[in-house]
């Protein structure tokens, strides 16, 4: 359990990325004020985390990946429906991340957006080919860089922005508030298709409360490595068995 918590910060790079920043900023860009947008985003995080945690509870008890578990609810053939939806979601995540990263690279290198996206995609392909260990090593490095960058941006914001003016501009609007809630909760719920892929390595007798806390904790600061999640408790994890339900 200690290794699970200790390894989580190194997955920060997988969570705290430019797509997440843009998703949260949309609450203000689309008309919300800063104060109520922050409140809405917080409420959405809590609601989304509750839904995601329910999926995480299945992992230690059944020891199976989330999409395999969907066969219990939908059947072998019915599970194709959520699988297709998840694939569309993955494509959306990849597309939005590629576009945003390409724009960032275009700004940094003074090249076109298309060239930036192609360079970014080529880098990702090379990293994927190099494999698991390289991905996690780069993830640790990116996490450190990300933390430093966010600390710098936060300090810059505090020094340059008129926080009192932002605090006084707090006109509540139900549509924009619900927009912030939906943006934030949908971001959390998007992790449901694979949350038990990680929680299944927890000991099968772990309490539901600890499982929920760990799931929320992981998705706020990053995923643990699968090998670390196994850790010394691997002998206590539920043996994984195939689930075939019609």
């Amino acid at each position: 359990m200690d290794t699970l918590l200790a390894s989580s910060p190194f997955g920060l790079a997988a969570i705290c990325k430019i797509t997440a920043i843009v998703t949260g900023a949309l609450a203000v860009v689309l008309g919300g004020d800063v104060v109520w947008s922050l409140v809405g985003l917080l409420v959405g995080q809590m609601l989304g985390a509750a839904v995601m945690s329910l999926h995480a509870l299945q992992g230690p008890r059944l020891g199976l990946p989330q999409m395999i578990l969907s066969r219990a609810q939908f059947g072998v053939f019915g599970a194709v429906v959520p699988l297709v939806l998840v694939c569309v979601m993955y494509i959306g995540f990849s597309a939005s991340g590629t576009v945003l990263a390409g724009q960032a690279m275009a700004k940094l290198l003074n090249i076109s957006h298309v060239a930036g996206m192609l360079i970014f995609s080529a880098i990702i392909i090379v990293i994927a080919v190099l494999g698991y260990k390289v991905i996690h090593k780069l993830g640790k490095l990116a996490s450190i860089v990300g933390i430093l960058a966010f600390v710098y941006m936060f300090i810059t914001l505090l020094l340059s922005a008129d926080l009192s003016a932002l605090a006084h501009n707090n006109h509540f609007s139900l549509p924009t508030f619900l927009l912030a809630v939906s943006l934030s909760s949908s971001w959390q719920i998007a992790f449901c298709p694979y949350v038990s892929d990680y929680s299944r390595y927890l000991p099968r007798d772990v309490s539901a409360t600890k499982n929920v806390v760990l799931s929320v904790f992981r998705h706020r600061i990053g995923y643990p490595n699968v090998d670390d999640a196994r850790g010394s408790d691997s002998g206590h994890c539920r043996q994984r068995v195939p689930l075939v339900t019609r």
Side-chain angles (χ1 to χ4, degrees):
M1 192 69 68
D2 292 337
T3 55
L4 180 63
L5 292 173
S7 64
S8 293
F10 299 122
L12 178 64
I15 301 297
C16 198
K17 51 190 175 183
I18 190 170
T19 314
I21 299 173
V22 172
T23 302
L26 283 176
V28 176
V29 173
L30 297 178
D33 63 84
V34 174
V35 175
W36 284 108
S37 292
L38 289 174
V39 175
L41 291 172
L42 177 60
V43 172
Q45 286 285 303
M46 296 172 64
L47 294 176
V51 176
M52 181 265 297
S53 298
L54 293 177
H55 287 266
L57 293 175
Q58 296 176 316
R61 288 162 174 75
L62 298 175
L64 292 168
Q66 195 66 54
M67 294 311 298
I68 301 299
L69 289 175
S70 66
R71 296 180 182 180
Q73 290 84 19
F74 299 95
V76 174
F77 299 108
V80 173
V81 175
L83 178 61
V84 170
L85 295 176
V86 167
C87 289
V88 172
M89 183 188 72
Y90 288 158
I91 294 173
F93 266 116
S94 298
S96 59
T98 300
V99 170
L100 293 171
Q103 291 175 344
M105 294 196 70
K107 187 72 173 180
L108 290 173
L109 303 178
N110 195 25
I111 56 179
S112 67
H113 290 171
V114 175
M117 288 188 288
L118 291 175
I119 293 174
F120 173 77
S121 299
I123 294 173
I124 294 301
I125 292 173
V126 171
I127 294 173
V129 171
L130 292 176
Y132 177 87
K133 291 184 178 180
V134 173
I135 292 173
H136 280 285
K137 287 180 180 179
L138 290 177
K140 293 177 182 180
L141 176 61
S143 297
I144 296 173
V145 174
I147 291 173
L148 295 176
F150 273 93
V151 169
Y152 170 77
M153 288 190 294
F154 184 70
I155 294 175
T156 302
L157 175 64
L158 292 179
L159 295 177
S160 60
D162 188 352
L163 299 181
S164 60
L166 293 175
H168 284 88
N169 182 23
N170 56 357
H171 305 292
F172 179 80
S173 171
L174 183 60
T176 54
F177 178 78
L178 293 178
L179 173 64
V181 173
S182 62
L183 284 170
S184 185
S185 60
S186 62
W187 181 267
Q188 277 277 37
I189 294 173
F191 292 106
C192 289
Y194 49 89
V195 64
S196 74
D197 294 26
Y198 295 88
S199 66
R200 68 191 178 118
Y201 292 106
L202 292 171
R204 59 183 175 182
D205 58 350
V206 65
S207 70
T209 301
K210 288 183 178 180
N211 196 345
V212 170
V213 172
L214 283 171
S215 299
V216 175
F217 181 73
R218 285 201 306 268
H219 285 80
R220 297 283 54 77
I221 65 171
Y223 296 112
N225 296 348
V226 171
D227 289 340
D228 291 335
R230 290 191 181 108
S232 59
D233 293 328
S234 59
H236 301 286
C237 293
R238 176 176 292 276
Q239 182 179 3
R240 272 151 288 286
V241 294
L243 177 66
V244 179
T245 305
R246 293 186 182 276

